[in-house]
């Protein structure tokens, strides 16, 4: 079923997002260091959780699988997922560990720097036996990042969840979401992020991640295609205000960005991914049909753009109506 000049309707299939949810503490003033910030606002975050909420905001069906601290912040985050209509039957609470926190510096240009409190945080302690396998098997799309690969036992839980999803016929969607300060070393980050590369059906990387993973300082087709694997159906490279590039077995091209006044880039990539997933969840043949894929990517691009116009990821995630009005200009 299509709506609005060739844009596919949002699907009904379940999109399960796996990984971390945490609280970002965002300075009340942009363009200052953490030490100089006069105060902080708490903003729920964590890329996989942002994707789940992005899907739900657009009218799709989403669930989150992960572990939170059995503390006020953990229950607050679970409450936010519920409030946005994201299924929470994949959430575990840890009695001993706290919910992860991140202090975020917003530079004057809207880009971010992070300082994390995770030693260890609850999300790192998710065990394979705590996974809601029934929920994962009922998904049409299983989406994840790489932060859950950093330490055990969460790493084993991640690999198990991926395997169960793959066996159940889910589309596997991977956004590495590189956060270098969390890894023991850049080498370890590169190795682990690439260790599960060939399992994914769909991968989205940013220009910065492309440079990091390939060691190239060129953002071109050849560099992107060095990350291509036979199992892939779609590889996406997001270029911020320069739009995005897409690569499939049979075609590749680029989609322009929408120009908006950017306040905070937090969550823009997650919004982009959520939009894409909820438009292909019921009809994966879109991935092989360039005109339809371009319509979906244009929609995803508009979603990402709107997300940068407000502070914090989740409050800025748009509804379909908001996205269509930006597209129509």
């Amino acid at each position: 079923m299509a709506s609005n000049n060739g844009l596919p309707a949002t699907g009904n299939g379940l999109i399960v997002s796996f990984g971390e949810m945490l609280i970002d503490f965002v300075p009340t003033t942009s363009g200052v260091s953490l030490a100089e910030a006069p105060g902080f606002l708490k903003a729920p975050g964590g890329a996989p959780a942002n994707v789940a909420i992005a899907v739900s905001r657009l009218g799709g069906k989403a669930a989150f699988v992960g572990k939170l601290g059995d503390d006020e912040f953990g229950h607050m985050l679970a409450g936010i997922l519920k409030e946005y209509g994201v299924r929470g039957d994949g959430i575990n609470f840890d009695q001993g560990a706290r919910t992860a926190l991140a202090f975020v510096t917003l530079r004057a240009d809207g880009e971010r720097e992070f300082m994390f409190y995770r030693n260890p945080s609850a999300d790192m302690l998710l065990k394979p036996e705590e996974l809601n396998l029934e929920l994962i098997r009922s998904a049409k799309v299983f989406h994840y990042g790489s932060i859950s690969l950093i330490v055990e036992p969460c790493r084993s839980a991640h690999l198990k969840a991926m395997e169960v999803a793959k066996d159940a016929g889910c589309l596997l969607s991977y956004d590495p979401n590189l956060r270098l300060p969390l890894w023991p070393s850049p080498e370890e980050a590169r190795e682990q992020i690439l260790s599960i590369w060939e399992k994914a059906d769909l991968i989205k990387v940013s220009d910065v991640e492309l440079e990091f993973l390939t060691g190239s300082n060129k953002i071109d087709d050849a560099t992107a295609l060095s990350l291509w694997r036979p199992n892939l159906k779609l590889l996406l490279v997001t270029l911020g205000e320069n739009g995005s590039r897409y690569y499939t077995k049979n075609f590749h091209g680029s989609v322009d960005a929408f120009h908006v006044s950017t306040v905070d880039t937090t969550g823009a990539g997650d919004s982009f991914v959520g939009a894409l997933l909820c438009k292909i969840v019921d009809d994966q043949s879109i991935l092989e049909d360039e005109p339809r894929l371009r319509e979906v990517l244009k929609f995803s691009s508009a979603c990402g753009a709107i997300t940068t116009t407000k502070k914090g990821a989740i409050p800025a995630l748009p509804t379909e109506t908001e996205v269509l009005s930006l597209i129509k200009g």
Side-chain angles (χ1 to χ4, degrees):
M1 190 186 130
S3 57
N4 331 301
N5 42 347
L7 179 71
T10 294
N12 290 316
L14 180 65
I15 296 165
V16 169
S17 216
F18 173 90
E20 70 286 347
M21 187 175 193
L22 59 141
I23 295 180
D24 289 336
F25 283 87
V26 186
T28 49
T29 314
S30 291
V32 296
S33 68
L34 288 177
E36 292 160 346
F40 296 89
L41 292 168
K42 59 183 196 299
N50 293 342
V51 170
I53 293 175
V55 166
S56 203
R57 287 282 287 164
L58 292 167
K61 289 199 169 66
F64 176 73
V65 173
K67 201 172 202 187
L68 299 166
D70 191 6
D71 50 38
E72 279 205 33
F73 284 153
H75 290 286
M76 178 192 109
L77 292 176
I80 287 165
L81 287 169
K82 190 176 178 183
E83 182 192 324
Y84 280 102
V86 175
R87 278 180 62 176
D89 45 339
I91 300 173
N92 287 272
F93 290 93
D94 194 283
Q95 260 71 53
R98 295 269 183 239
T99 301
L101 309 178
F103 284 82
V104 185
T105 316
L106 279 184
R107 298 204 313 249
D109 62 2
E111 286 299 329
R112 302 151 301 159
E113 287 163 5
F114 297 89
M115 181 168 80
F116 292 93
Y117 283 68
R118 293 159 59 86
N119 54 341
S121 52
D123 58 286
M124 300 157 75
L125 301 176
L126 180 68
K127 301 186 192 80
E129 60 271 21
E130 292 172 324
L131 292 167
N132 182 340
L133 299 181
E134 205 177 319
L135 176 65
I136 294 167
R137 288 190 188 105
S138 70
K140 288 277 183 291
V141 173
F142 182 70
H143 176 76
Y144 48 90
S146 71
I147 290 174
S148 37
L149 292 174
I150 301 175
V151 287
E152 292 292 1
C154 185
R155 180 185 159 77
S156 292
H158 180 139
L159 297 174
K160 166 89 173 172
M162 243 169 53
E163 181 193 341
V164 167
K166 191 85 176 167
D167 290 348
C170 297
L171 180 94
L172 264 49
S173 162
Y174 184 22
D175 177 355
N177 248 301
L178 177 68
R179 296 285 179 267
L180 263 184
L182 294 180
W183 291 91
S185 70
E187 296 70 34
E188 172 85 354
R190 193 176 292 112
E191 184 185 329
Q192 294 303 339
I193 287 170
L194 291 171
S195 70
I196 59 168
W197 207 256
E198 72 289 345
K199 299 254 200 299
D201 298 297
L202 187 159
I203 294 176
K204 177 234 141 200
V205 288
S206 68
D207 42 6
V208 175
E209 289 161 346
L210 179 65
E211 287 179 358
F212 173 77
L213 292 169
T214 59
S216 165
N217 54 4
K218 282 208 272 296
I219 305 292
D220 56 13
D221 291 344
T223 306
L225 286 167
S226 70
L227 291 178
W228 183 262
R229 296 293 183 275
N231 194 48
L232 269 175
K233 295 186 168 85
L234 176 64
L235 173 66
L236 291 162
V237 180
T238 54
L239 309 164
E241 59 191 24
N242 296 316
S244 59
R245 295 195 186 151
Y246 57 88
Y247 302 87
T248 74
K249 284 187 180 67
N250 302 316
F251 54 80
H252 62 89
S254 60
V255 173
D256 291 338
F258 286 84
H259 291 285
V260 292
S261 48
T262 295
V263 175
D264 174 11
T265 56
T266 309
D270 305 324
S271 180
F272 178 93
V273 171
L276 168 67
L277 295 179
C278 74
K279 291 299 181 189
I280 64 164
V281 63
D282 285 358
D283 184 0
Q284 293 174 22
S285 72
I286 292 168
L287 300 174
E288 292 154 31
D289 179 348
E290 191 168 11
R292 283 197 300 158
L293 180 62
R294 288 185 63 85
E295 283 298 318
V296 168
L297 291 174
K298 197 164 83 177
F299 178 82
S300 304
S301 188
C303 262
I306 292 172
T307 309
T308 70
T309 61
K310 291 186 201 158
K311 265 193 186 172
I314 292 168
L317 295 169
T319 61
E320 179 140 349
T321 314
E322 291 171 272
V323 182
L324 295 177
S325 65
L326 176 63
I327 294 173
K328 293 195 176 93

